[in-house]
Amino acid sequence: MAAGLQAPKPQDLLAVEGMKIGTASAGIRKPGKRDLLVMQFDAGSVAAGVFTRNRFCAAPVHVCRKHLTESKGSIRALVVNTGNANAGTGQAGLLMAQETCEHLASMLELVPSQVLPFSTGVILEPLPLERLIAGLPEALQAADMGSDGWLEAAEAIMTTDTLPKAASMAIETGGKRYHLSGISKGAGMIRPNMATMLAVMVCDAAIEPELLGRWLRDINAQSFNRITVDGDTSTNDSFLLVSTGAKSSSTAQVIDNDAHPDAAALKQAMVLMAKKLAQAIVRDGEGASKFIAVQVEQAASDEEAAQVAYAIAHSPLVKTAFFASDPNLGRILCAVGYAGIDDLDVQRVELFLDDVHVVTQGGRHPAYREEDGQRVMKQQDIAVRVALGRGHAQTTVWTCDFSHDYVSINADYRS
Amino acid sequence: MAAGLQAPKPQDLLAVEGMKIGTASAGIRKPGKRDLLVMQFDAGSVAAGVFTRNRFCAAPVHVCRKHLTESKGSIRALVVNTGNANAGTGQAGLLMAQETCEHLASMLELVPSQVLPFSTGVILEPLPLERLIAGLPEALQAADMGSDGWLEAAEAIMTTDTLPKAASMAIETGGKRYHLSGISKGAGMIRPNMATMLAVMVCDAAIEPELLGRWLRDINAQSFNRITVDGDTSTNDSFLLVSTGAKSSSTAQVIDNDAHPDAAALKQAMVLMAKKLAQAIVRDGEGASKFIAVQVEQAASDEEAAQVAYAIAHSPLVKTAFFASDPNLGRILCAVGYAGIDDLDVQRVELFLDDVHVVTQGGRHPAYREEDGQRVMKQQDIAVRVALGRGHAQTTVWTCDFSHDYVSINADYRS
C-alpha cells in the first residue's frame, strides 16, 4: 500500500568502511521474525544522536542519552530490538536496557557506555531480556556482511512498516570517495519531535564530535522533524549519525569545521539522505496511499509556518479527503483557520493544489474548476501550498493520507 | 452506530412559550431533505451566542456576531440551513448571509439585525441563496407546531448525524414552572473552540441580557467546549441561548443576577442540558462506537489539565485502540508524554481505566492484569482517568473512538 515507495535494491546499497552489521531472530515478540540488529563500529568512530521529547520516553532513550554523554560520542556498538518498546516500564525497564548494553559490551570487550540500545514495538510490556540476550551471539556471528548488511538491518528494524527503508550515497570530494549509508523505520506513532522512530546513518569520513552533533541537529530539523503520519510523538524516536573515520588516515584529515573542503559535500549528502529516509517513512505510513507535501509560505515566523503546516497535515478530515481523492478543499482552509494564528487576515490567504489555484484572497478562485482539483487529488504525490501573506518564513511538512487500512492496522496491531 | 444514543421521544420534548418553530425542504444540497429551520421569538426575547474561534469562520458567524451586538441581544428570529456552510465564500458569502436575514426580516416585519443566520455543511461552495429564500414561506407556514417542532428542528439541522439531538426540562422553582428545550448537531469537524457546530437552547424565563451572556459562557465551558470528535475546529460552531420571558409577567420578575431565587435552578438545568446535548454530539460522532470520558486530575492548572486530556482524546492511536477494544494502554501514556508539559515527572503519573489501576508511578501497576483492561475496553462507555501528581486542577473531555466508519463517512461525504 506504500505511496510510491519501493524496497531498496541490494546493489544500490554501499558498505561503509569501519563498521560491521549483524542481525538475528531472537523471538522478542513473535518467533521467526528478524528482530535484532547489532552494528559494531571501529575504534575512533564518533556518534551523535537526537531523541524524542516525549516525557514518557523509553528506557533505552534514557540510556542512549547517558552513554553518549559519558563516552563523549565514542560509540562502538548499537543494539536494536523490535517487538517491544521498553517504554512505560519504569525502573525495571531502565535496568534491562542497561543490562543489554553490559552484555553486549562484555562480549565485544567494550565498556557499557560505548554501547547504545534502541527498542521499538509495544509500550507498557516488560522487555523479554533473556530472549534478547540469547539472540546476541547469532547477531555477532552474522556480522560483517558488507553491503548486504544494510538491507538486512533495514528489515530487522521493521514493525508495521511494509517495506525496508535504506539508502546509500557515494560522495566524491577533495580526491576522496566517502560512503554514506542509512536505514529508517516508522509506520505509526509518527510525529517526531526531535527525531523519528528510528534512523541510523553511518559514513566513513572522520568528523569531529561537536561538528557532527551540530550537523545532526541541522539535518534533523529539515528531515525527520518535518514528517507526520498520525501526530503521535513516539516514546522511542531516535536518530543516530555515526562517522567511522575509516577513510581518513590521519588526524589532519578530520573534518572539524564547516569550512573544511569536504564538509559541504558531505553535509549536503547527509541532508538529502535524511530527507529520503524520512519521506520513506511517510510513504510507508500506516495505510498510506498518497504522499502529501504541505508547503506553507509567507508566514511571519518559522514557528508559525510549521504550526499551520501541521494543522493541515494532522487534520483527519483533510487526510480522509486525500484518501478519497475528493477535492473537498474547504477542509484545508478550515485547518488554516484553527491553526492558532489569532491575527490571521483570511483575505490574504492563497491556496494552491500543485499548479491549481484554488483560493484567492480567502475565497474560492473565480477560475477554479472542481475537475482541476479532482485531477490533482487523484495523483499519488500531491503538493499543498498555502501562502499566508504575513512575511517571508516558510516550511514544508510531509505527510500521508488517512485510510481504512490505518484503522485496521492500529485496531489489530497487537492481535 | 451511535454509542449509546437514542432518538429523543416526541413526548419527552416540551414546547417553550413565546416562540414558534417551522421547517422546510428547500433542496439546499439534495432534494427531499428537511434542510431549513426557522425559529421565531416573541418581542422581549433575549439571546446570547458564542461562536467558533476559527479564523476562517463562516459568513453567517460574522453576521450573527454583528446582529447580536447591534440588537443588544433582542433577537426575534433565527434561520438555519444545512448542506452548505457558507464558509470560505468571501465577500459574496457575507452578502448572502445578510440577504437571508433581510428577506426573513421583511417577511416577519422585523429589522434585519433581529435575525440570526446559521449555516452548516460543505465549505468553499457558494450558498444557493435563491433556493434558501424560496424555502422560507414553507418554513413560516409550518411554524407553531408546539412540542413537535423541537424534534423536527433537531432533524432539520442534521448533516452526517445519524440521530436527531433534542432535550427538554421543566424547572419548578419559586412557585413557577419554566420550560427549557434545546437541540444540537455535530458528527464531524468537532473540536469546538467556544462552542459546538450548532446548538440552540431556549427557555421561557425572563433573563437579563448581560446575565444570560455570562451564563452562556459558563455553561459552554463545561459542555460544548469539552468535547472532541476529530480535533477539527469547525468554521461554523455556534451555541445560542435564548430566553423568551413568556413566563415572567412583569419586569420585577426578570432574573438579573445570580442571587435571584430562580437563578440557581435555571442555570443548573441549563448546564445539565448543555452537557447532555454536547455528549449526544460525541455519542453520534462520525463512526463512533464508544463514548469515552477523559478525566485529568492533579494538574497544575486548568489549561494543563485540558492540554493532557485533549492529547489523549485526539490521539488516533488511542482512539483506534478503543475501537478495537484493545487495552493497548501504553498509547495513553505516550499521549500524556507528548502533551507538552516539559517538567512532567512521569514517576508521579497514575492511570486508571474505570476502576482498574493500570499504571502507578509511571509504570505498569504490579497487580494490573490484561484481562481487567480488556473487560473495561469492551464496554460502550469508558472512563480514562489520569492523575498527574502536580496540583489540584482537573477537567473532563468527552470523545469517541476512531473507526472504519469515520474514514468511510469522511471519504464519501460529498459524493
Side-chain angles (χ1 to χ4, degrees):
Chain A
M1 181 94 184
L5 183 69
Q6 265 150 22
K9 296 195 192 83
Q11 64 269 29
D12 291 341
L13 298 177
L14 300 171
V16 178
E17 251 181 79
M19 68 166 302
K20 288 188 224 173
I21 297 174
T23 65
S25 299
I28 299 289
R29 184 166 179 81
K30 287 175 183 167
K33 184 200 177 302
R34 201 191 296 273
D35 57 5
L36 193 63
L37 164 68
V38 175
M39 287 191 183
Q40 299 173 54
F41 307 106
D42 288 357
S45 293
V46 174
V50 278
F51 302 93
T52 183
R53 282 189 180 152
N54 191 310
R55 294 301 304 164
F56 263 103
C57 65
V61 168
H62 282 292
V63 175
C64 275
R65 287 197 177 109
K66 187 162 163 277
H67 285 187
L68 278 166
T69 307
E70 284 177 11
S71 69
K72 297 190 178 65
S74 298
I75 294 303
R76 297 290 308 281
L78 63 82
V79 48
V80 187
N81 74 272
T82 61
N84 184 302
N86 195 7
T89 45
Q91 196 58 31
L94 213 55
L95 288 175
M96 287 185 184
Q98 277 161 350
E99 277 184 57
T100 305
C101 296
E102 282 160 19
H103 270 270
L104 188 56
S106 80
M107 292 168 84
L108 296 173
E109 296 181 356
L110 306 170
V111 293
S113 67
Q114 292 179 301
V115 179
L116 299 182
F118 301 86
S119 296
T120 166
V122 180
I123 302 174
L124 209 61
E125 291 187 8
L127 182 72
L129 180 64
E130 288 185 12
R131 293 206 288 280
L132 194 166
I133 289 173
L136 289 176
E138 183 190 333
L140 295 186
Q141 208 166 18
D144 200 9
M145 296 174 300
S147 61
D148 289 351
W150 282 101
L151 190 53
E152 275 200 20
E155 284 164 3
I157 63 172
M158 289 166 68
T159 50
T160 53
D161 306 69
T162 67
L163 288 171
K165 296 159 192 73
S168 288
M169 293 174 79
I171 303 107
E172 306 205 10
T173 180
K176 290 182 288 296
R177 181 183 157 96
Y178 296 111
H179 280 185
L180 170 67
S181 289
I183 53 173
S184 67
K185 68 152 310 267
M189 208 177 264
I190 298 292
R191 188 268 157 96
N193 188 353
M194 270 320 273
T196 186
M197 197 74 175
L198 181 55
V200 179
M201 288 175 18
V202 187
C203 77
D204 45 18
I207 304 174
E208 187 271 329
E210 208 169 302
L211 185 70
L212 191 73
R214 212 159 60 231
W215 281 12
L216 174 73
R217 288 186 292 276
D218 269 10
I219 294 163
N220 183 52
Q222 300 174 59
S223 56
F224 298 106
N225 260 10
R226 279 292 175 266
I227 63 170
T228 182
V229 169
D230 49 16
D232 277 74
T233 303
S234 152
T235 48
N236 293 55
D237 297 339
S238 307
F239 170 33
L240 194 75
L241 180 59
V242 184
S243 70
T244 66
K247 282 285 170 63
S248 308
S249 49
S250 72
T251 48
Q253 292 192 347
V254 170
I255 299 165
D256 57 2
N257 69 79
D258 285 316
H260 185 285
D262 298 354
L266 268 170
K267 192 179 170 191
Q268 193 189 13
M270 288 173 178
V271 169
L272 280 177
M273 179 172 295
K275 280 190 183 175
K276 188 173 172 179
L277 291 173
Q279 292 176 6
I281 290 175
V282 171
R283 288 186 183 278
D284 196 20
E286 288 175 341
S289 71
K290 302 270 175 79
F291 176 78
I292 299 134
V294 182
Q295 304 167 244
V296 174
E297 37 187 62
Q298 298 177 10
S301 67
D302 290 348
E303 295 67 38
E304 183 175 290
Q307 204 175 327
V308 173
Y310 278 116
I312 296 168
H314 285 151
S315 161
L317 291 171
V318 171
K319 290 162 90 83
T320 46
F322 279 112
F323 169 57
S325 302
D326 176 7
N328 195 340
L329 303 170
R331 293 177 176 178
I332 296 177
L333 280 198
C334 178
V336 174
Y338 68 67
I341 306 181
D342 288 338
D343 59 348
L344 178 72
D345 179 357
V346 300
Q347 311 257 28
R348 307 195 65 173
V349 172
E350 307 281 318
L351 169 66
F352 298 81
L353 204 63
D354 270 15
D355 55 329
V356 178
H357 199 160
V358 179
V359 167
T360 188
Q361 296 174 13
R364 189 183 173 120
H365 192 290
Y368 172 69
R369 296 175 313 156
E370 175 101 2
E371 53 264 43
D372 294 332
Q374 181 73 64
R375 171 175 56 76
V376 178
M377 290 299 274
K378 281 186 176 159
Q379 296 168 188
Q380 184 179 261
D381 282 32
I382 297 169
V384 172
R385 185 154 62 89
V386 176
L388 299 176
R390 294 166 57 83
H392 301 286
Q394 59 174 60
T395 199
T396 301
V397 163
W398 297 284
T399 192
C400 55
D401 58 334
F402 216 153
S403 70
H404 283 292
D405 283 4
Y406 180 89
V407 178
S408 298
I409 291 163
N410 284 299
D412 307 340
Y413 177 40
R414 301 202 318 168
S415 49
Chain B
M1 182 95 183
L5 183 70
Q6 265 149 23
K9 296 195 192 82
Q11 66 269 29
D12 291 341
L13 298 176
L14 300 171
V16 178
E17 251 181 79
M19 68 167 302
K20 289 188 225 173
I21 297 174
T23 66
S25 298
I28 299 289
R29 185 166 180 80
K30 286 174 185 167
K33 185 199 176 303
R34 200 191 297 273
D35 56 6
L36 193 62
L37 163 68
V38 175
M39 287 190 184
Q40 298 174 53
F41 308 106
D42 288 358
S45 293
V46 174
V50 279
F51 301 92
T52 185
R53 282 188 180 153
N54 192 311
R55 293 301 305 164
F56 262 104
C57 67
V61 168
H62 284 292
V63 175
C64 275
R65 286 197 178 110
K66 185 161 163 280
H67 285 188
L68 278 167
T69 306
E70 285 177 9
S71 69
K72 299 189 177 67
S74 297
I75 294 304
R76 297 291 308 281
L78 63 83
V79 49
V80 186
N81 75 272
T82 62
N84 185 301
N86 196 5
T89 45
Q91 196 58 29
L94 212 55
L95 288 175
M96 287 187 185
Q98 277 161 349
E99 276 185 57
T100 306
C101 296
E102 282 159 20
H103 270 271
L104 187 56
S106 81
M107 291 167 86
L108 297 174
E109 297 183 353
L110 305 171
V111 292
S113 68
Q114 291 179 300
V115 179
L116 299 182
F118 301 86
S119 295
T120 167
V122 180
I123 302 174
L124 208 61
E125 291 188 7
L127 182 73
L129 180 65
E130 288 184 14
R131 293 207 289 280
L132 194 164
I133 288 172
L136 289 175
E138 183 190 335
L140 294 186
Q141 207 165 21
D144 201 9
M145 298 172 300
S147 61
D148 289 351
W150 283 101
L151 190 53
E152 275 200 19
E155 284 163 2
I157 63 172
M158 290 167 66
T159 49
T160 54
D161 306 70
T162 66
L163 288 171
K165 297 159 192 71
S168 288
M169 292 174 80
I171 304 108
E172 305 206 11
T173 179
K176 289 182 287 298
R177 181 184 158 97
Y178 298 111
H179 281 185
L180 171 67
S181 289
I183 54 174
S184 66
K185 69 152 311 265
M189 208 176 265
I190 298 293
R191 188 267 157 100
N193 188 353
M194 269 321 274
T196 185
M197 198 74 177
L198 181 54
V200 179
M201 289 175 17
V202 186
C203 77
D204 45 17
I207 304 174
E208 187 271 330
E210 208 170 300
L211 185 69
L212 192 73
R214 213 158 61 230
W215 282 11
L216 174 73
R217 288 185 293 277
D218 269 11
I219 293 163
N220 184 52
Q222 299 173 59
S223 55
F224 298 107
N225 260 10
R226 280 292 174 267
I227 62 171
T228 182
V229 168
D230 49 17
D232 277 74
T233 303
S234 151
T235 48
N236 292 56
D237 297 339
S238 308
F239 170 32
L240 193 75
L241 181 59
V242 184
S243 69
T244 67
K247 281 286 170 64
S248 306
S249 49
S250 72
T251 48
Q253 293 192 347
V254 170
I255 299 164
D256 57 1
N257 68 79
D258 287 315
H260 186 285
D262 297 355
L266 268 170
K267 191 179 170 191
Q268 192 189 13
M270 288 174 178
V271 169
L272 280 177
M273 179 171 294
K275 281 190 182 174
K276 187 172 172 180
L277 291 172
Q279 292 177 4
I281 290 174
V282 171
R283 288 186 184 279
D284 196 19
E286 288 175 342
S289 71
K290 302 269 174 82
F291 177 79
I292 299 135
V294 182
Q295 302 167 247
V296 174
E297 34 184 67
Q298 299 176 8
S301 67
D302 289 350
E303 294 67 37
E304 183 175 289
Q307 206 175 326
V308 173
Y310 278 116
I312 297 168
H314 286 150
S315 161
L317 291 171
V318 170
K319 291 162 89 83
T320 45
F322 278 112
F323 170 56
S325 301
D326 176 7
N328 195 340
L329 302 170
R331 293 175 176 180
I332 296 176
L333 280 198
C334 178
V336 173
Y338 68 66
I341 306 182
D342 287 339
D343 59 348
L344 178 72
D345 178 357
V346 300
Q347 311 258 26
R348 307 195 65 172
V349 172
E350 308 280 319
L351 169 65
F352 299 80
L353 205 64
D354 271 15
D355 56 328
V356 178
H357 200 160
V358 179
V359 166
T360 187
Q361 296 175 12
R364 190 183 172 119
H365 192 289
Y368 172 68
R369 295 175 314 157
E370 176 100 1
E371 54 264 43
D372 294 331
Q374 181 72 64
R375 173 175 55 77
V376 178
M377 290 299 273
K378 281 186 177 159
Q379 295 167 190
Q380 183 179 263
D381 283 33
I382 298 170
V384 171
R385 186 154 61 89
V386 176
L388 298 176
R390 294 165 57 84
H392 301 284
Q394 59 175 62
T395 198
T396 300
V397 163
W398 297 284
T399 193
C400 55
D401 59 335
F402 217 154
S403 69
H404 283 292
D405 283 4
Y406 180 89
V407 178
S408 298
I409 291 163
N410 283 299
D412 307 340
Y413 178 42
R414 300 201 320 168
S415 49

